[in-house]
């Protein structure tokens, strides 16, 4: 770029002339100022304007004036140890490779004439570039564990589908310093499983075992490549399972006392408390999360129908921590068995005697099983991990399977005469066929089908369970419609079971209520639902429209 001259004019002050004196003369002073271009001015470009290089041979693009014969290039303004080259539009200049591996190199340029004298009108040009031969430096590697590792108790084994010695999922945030060329990247070395490709320093999802080493190396935009360095994966973060948060994993992955042992524990706690109760009174006693029913001459026992009713109340009040803890206890006390076809089914056995009981306990019932089945899905947290959801699905499938297993093989299904299916309240007293227990089981199966339908929007396996539950509801409705006349004593009286006489007034009212709910199930055939409403009206209930 050409220099230019600035002429500064300075006017001297003068006074009025007096008579007989000569006027003051106006003085003009011209000062020549040579303008020096700013950093990076036109006329000098190093390496095409790149901000950095790792090549000690710099390429200078110049615009020498016509009178320039040579160009002088220095690394200081005094041009000490300067290099002189013939004036040209492209000049290559080496710089010393000794010194810091990351440093800013500044060059000064001026033009000379044939006598090696600086051109009087030639400006001093200057520009800088970063000389960088260092790869990026790893400042930090922060691991955030994404896969939970659950334990039952402090120091206990890993549960919940994870293992701290196996591959866990982490978010890795690598922080790097790169003062020169920028655009730092890193790649994994010998990662297992392999992770290929260069990564920018944003969070990376990887699988690795806790407390192992992981090799990475870095590079920058210039291609400066580091040797592999080792970063240490931290120990796994362990989370103790809490029944009030993860009832399925807590109940099914962790050790628990048997139902008989748990009953002895609660009865001992009740005895120590010194408290008294009346026949069929429900009481709460620690450490149980559920209400227990007191039976005269038997003591405390878990009545699963009562437990299901209590859980339903907790859910209605949105007391979800207590609800999940109660579901966890019920699951921990459940029993699994194999059907004749080799399928696993699950049921909660009753550990108390019943009137006229000649078999003893434990015994199984369809009503309690269906009520607990309909209590499962609300206990799944919206943010539940995958293993918790898988356990919930498996558990629901096993409870539902119980309604396909014949009572003689440990299930609750009775099907010997007539259409459809009947679910027994007292499986070893199948000839009684308790009416309210059967109707409540069918209603709970319908409730579960609707719950499973909602979950099926995200997980198709739940939709299959919903279809299975609706099939049981339809079979149950057919059986009920067929057997209703057998429970009709006339005059608005109903039977509690086939082996007894007129049901107490409470059960007669209960029969009316249950028939009203059954008549509102939309996928049950209209004629069947109208039959239910007819019997509701015949037994003293209000006739409601069936649509």
């Amino acid at each position: 770029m050409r220099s230019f001259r600035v002429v500064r004019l300075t006017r001297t002050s003068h006074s009025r002339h007096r008579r007989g004196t000569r006027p003051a003369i106006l003085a003009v002073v011209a000062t020549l100022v040579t303008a020096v271009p700013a950093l990076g001015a036109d006329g000098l470009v190093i390496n095409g304007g790149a901000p950095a290089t790792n090549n000690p041979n710099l390429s200078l693009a110049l615009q020498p004036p016509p009178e320039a014969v040579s160009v002088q290039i220095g690394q200081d303004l005094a041009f000490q140890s300067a290099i002189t080259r013939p004036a040209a539009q492209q000049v290559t200049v080496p710089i010393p490779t000794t010194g810091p591996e990351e440093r800013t190199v500044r060059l000064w340029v001026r033009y000379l004439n044939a006598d090696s004298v600086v051109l009087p009108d030639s400006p001093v040009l200057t520009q800088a570039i970063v000389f960088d031969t260092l790869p990026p430096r790893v400042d930090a590697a922060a691991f955030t564990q994404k896969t939970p590792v659950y334990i039952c108790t402090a120091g206990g084994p890993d549960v919940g589908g994870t293992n701290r010695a196996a591959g866990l999922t982490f978010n890795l945030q690598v922080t790097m310093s790169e003062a020169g060329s920028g655009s730092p990247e890193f790649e994994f070395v010998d990662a297992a499983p392999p992770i290929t490709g260069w990564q920018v320093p944003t969070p990376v999802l990887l699988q690795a075992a806790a407390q192992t080493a992981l090799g990475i190396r870095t590079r920058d935009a210039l291609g400066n490549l580091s040797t592999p360095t080792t970063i240490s994966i931290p120990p796994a973060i362990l989370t103790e399972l809490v029944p009030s948060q993860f009832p399925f994993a807590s109940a099914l992955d962790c050790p628990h006392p048997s139902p008989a042992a748990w009953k002895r524990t609660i009865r001992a706690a009740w005895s120590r408390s010194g408290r008294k109760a009346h026949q069929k009174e429900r009481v709460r006693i620690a450490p149980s999360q559920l209400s227990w029913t007191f039976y005269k001459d038997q003591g405390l026992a878990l009545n699963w129908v009562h437990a299901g009713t209590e859980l339903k109340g907790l859910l209605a009040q949105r007391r979800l921590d207590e609800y999940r803890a109660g579901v966890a206890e019920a699951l921990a006390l459940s029993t699994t068995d194999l059907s004749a076809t080799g399928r696993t089914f699950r049921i909660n056995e009753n550990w108390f005697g019943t009137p006229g009981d000649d078999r003893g306990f434990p015994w199984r019932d369809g009503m309690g099983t269906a009520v607990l089945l309909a209590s499962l899905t609300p206990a799944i947290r919206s943010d539940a991990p995958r293993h918790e959801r898988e356990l919930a699905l498996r558990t629901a499938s096993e409870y539902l399977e119980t309604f396909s297993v014949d009572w003689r093989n440990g299930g609750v299904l009775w099907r010997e005469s007539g259409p459809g299916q009947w679910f027994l309240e007292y499986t070893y007293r199948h000839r009684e066929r308790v009416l309210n227990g059967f109707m409540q089981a069918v209603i709970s199966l319908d409730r579960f089908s609707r719950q499973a339908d909602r979950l099926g929007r995200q997980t198709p396996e739940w939709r299959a369970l919903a279809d299975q539950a609706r099939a049981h509801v339809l079979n149950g409705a057919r059986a009920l419609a067929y057997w209703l006349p057998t429970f009709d004593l006339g005059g608005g009286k109903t039977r509690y079971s086939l082996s007894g006489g007129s049901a107490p007034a409470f059960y007669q009212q209960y029969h009316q209520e249950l028939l009203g709910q059954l008549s509102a199930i939309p996928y049950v055939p209209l004629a069947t639902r109208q039959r239910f409403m007819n019997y509701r009206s015949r037994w003293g209930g209000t006739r409601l429209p069936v649509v």
Side-chain angles (χ1 to χ4, degrees):
M1 184 176 184
R2 303 289 182 145
S3 62
F4 55 91
R5 297 179 180 181
V6 178
V7 178
R8 295 177 181 169
L9 299 178
T10 305
R11 176 181 291 178
T12 59
S13 62
H14 64 277
S15 59
R16 291 180 181 176
H17 66 275
R18 299 176 183 174
R19 183 179 294 180
T21 63
R22 300 178 63 181
I25 298 175
L26 179 65
V28 178
V29 179
T31 303
L32 298 180
V33 179
T34 301
V36 178
L39 176 65
D42 293 338
L44 171 62
V45 178
I46 301 176
N47 281 16
T53 183
N54 58 2
N55 187 342
N57 294 307
L58 303 181
S59 176
L60 278 60
L62 304 171
Q63 296 178 6
E67 61 271 26
V69 174
S70 58
V71 59
Q72 195 174 42
I73 305 159
Q75 292 192 41
D76 57 73
L77 189 56
F79 286 87
Q80 295 180 359
S81 302
I83 297 173
T84 302
R85 293 282 190 272
Q89 291 185 336
Q90 198 75 28
V91 176
T92 300
V93 179
I95 60 173
T97 56
T98 58
E101 294 173 277
E102 282 184 335
R103 66 184 187 275
T104 299
V105 175
R106 180 175 294 279
L107 299 182
W108 281 264
V109 173
R110 62 187 179 183
Y111 295 103
L112 309 178
N113 61 18
D115 297 323
S116 298
V117 176
V118 178
L119 294 179
D121 292 338
S122 173
V124 176
L125 306 176
T126 182
Q127 198 175 74
I129 190 170
V130 173
F131 180 64
D132 178 14
T133 58
L134 283 180
R137 182 180 66 249
V138 176
D139 294 327
F143 289 90
T144 303
Q145 183 178 317
K146 302 293 290 183
T147 308
V149 176
Y150 292 111
I151 56 175
C152 296
T153 56
D158 303 344
V159 297
T162 62
N163 189 303
R164 72 192 85 171
L168 303 178
T169 302
F170 294 91
N171 263 343
L172 170 61
Q173 175 68 69
V174 176
T175 305
M176 296 186 287
S177 294
E178 173 50 52
S181 58
S183 301
E185 297 176 313
F186 68 93
E187 71 171 353
F188 295 97
V189 181
D190 298 329
I195 303 174
T196 58
W198 287 93
Q199 313 287 329
V200 296
T202 55
V204 176
L205 195 66
L206 61 92
Q207 277 195 325
Q211 291 184 284
T212 59
L214 189 64
I216 63 171
R217 59 183 175 183
T218 65
R219 74 175 181 184
D220 57 20
L222 298 174
N224 294 318
L225 183 66
S226 73
T227 57
T229 185
T230 300
I231 56 177
S232 297
I233 299 174
I237 299 174
L238 307 180
T239 303
E240 190 168 338
L241 278 174
V242 180
S244 62
Q245 302 303 315
F246 304 111
F248 296 92
S250 176
L252 303 180
D253 285 341
C254 296
H256 291 280
S258 67
W262 189 239
K263 184 179 72 170
R264 290 193 296 268
T265 297
I266 299 303
R267 285 184 172 181
W270 175 258
S271 179
R272 289 192 300 270
S273 73
R275 295 164 58 186
K276 303 297 181 182
H278 303 288
Q279 170 71 359
K280 290 190 177 182
E281 181 181 347
R282 302 180 198 181
V283 298
R284 292 290 297 269
I285 185 75
S288 178
Q289 301 294 325
L290 296 169
S291 293
W292 289 58
T293 304
F294 180 82
Y295 294 95
K296 187 178 180 181
D297 300 327
Q298 294 189 60
L300 294 180
L302 267 172
N303 182 311
W304 295 113
V305 174
H306 293 173
T309 302
E310 178 186 21
L311 290 172
K312 189 175 181 180
L314 292 173
L315 183 63
Q317 299 171 47
R318 306 301 297 169
R319 294 160 60 182
L320 296 182
D321 285 355
E322 295 174 70
Y323 181 85
R324 294 190 189 100
V327 169
E329 183 173 351
L331 289 173
L333 298 175
S334 63
T335 301
T336 57
D337 209 338
L338 285 178
S339 69
T341 58
R343 294 176 62 90
T344 300
F345 64 98
R346 184 179 296 272
I347 198 165
N348 282 61
E349 296 181 314
N350 294 284
W351 287 79
F352 58 93
T354 60
D357 191 353
D358 57 357
R359 174 174 169 170
F361 46 77
W363 51 276
R364 299 175 175 185
D365 76 292
M367 181 178 178
T369 304
V371 169
L372 290 179
L373 171 64
S375 302
L376 297 179
T377 64
I380 307 172
R381 285 172 48 126
S382 59
D383 60 345
R386 177 180 177 181
H387 183 68
E388 176 81 353
R389 293 180 178 276
E390 289 174 345
L391 286 178
L393 180 65
R394 189 191 84 191
T395 304
S397 177
E398 292 169 349
Y399 271 113
L400 188 58
E401 183 66 21
T402 304
F403 295 90
S404 298
V405 179
D406 189 89
W407 64 276
R408 288 162 292 196
N409 296 321
V412 299
L413 172 63
W414 176 84
R415 187 172 50 193
E416 293 177 0
S417 63
Q421 300 174 339
W422 190 284
F423 309 120
L424 298 170
E425 182 157 357
Y426 305 110
T427 52
Y428 60 92
R429 289 159 57 179
H430 64 281
R431 297 186 184 279
E432 290 192 2
R433 292 197 289 284
V434 176
L435 180 60
N436 71 282
F438 172 56
M439 289 195 292
Q440 181 60 68
V442 174
I443 289 170
S444 294
L445 285 167
D446 171 64
R447 180 184 171 206
F448 169 77
S449 73
R450 288 180 276 115
Q451 296 168 342
D453 263 336
R454 287 192 290 270
L455 293 176
R457 297 167 190 167
Q458 301 294 329
T459 308
E461 290 85 352
W462 282 104
R463 193 176 300 117
L465 294 187
D467 291 341
Q468 185 179 344
R470 277 191 289 270
H472 285 313
V473 171
L474 289 171
N475 280 320
R478 280 193 288 269
L480 178 61
Y482 178 82
W483 287 99
L484 274 175
T486 312
F487 290 87
D488 185 8
L489 295 177
K493 302 294 185 180
T494 63
R495 295 180 186 272
Y496 171 78
S497 69
L498 292 183
S499 65
S502 178
F506 165 80
Y507 281 108
Q508 293 188 30
Q509 184 178 356
Y510 195 23
H511 292 161
Q512 300 166 22
E513 178 184 341
L514 294 175
L515 283 171
Q517 295 182 42
L518 287 165
S519 66
I521 299 176
Y523 53 88
V524 171
L526 179 60
T528 304
R529 291 188 284 127
Q530 288 175 335
R531 183 175 176 82
F532 295 159
M533 186 54 65
N534 290 338
Y535 271 90
R536 171 187 166 94
S537 175
R538 178 180 175 83
W539 291 348
T542 303
R543 179 177 288 277
L544 303 172
V546 179
V547 295

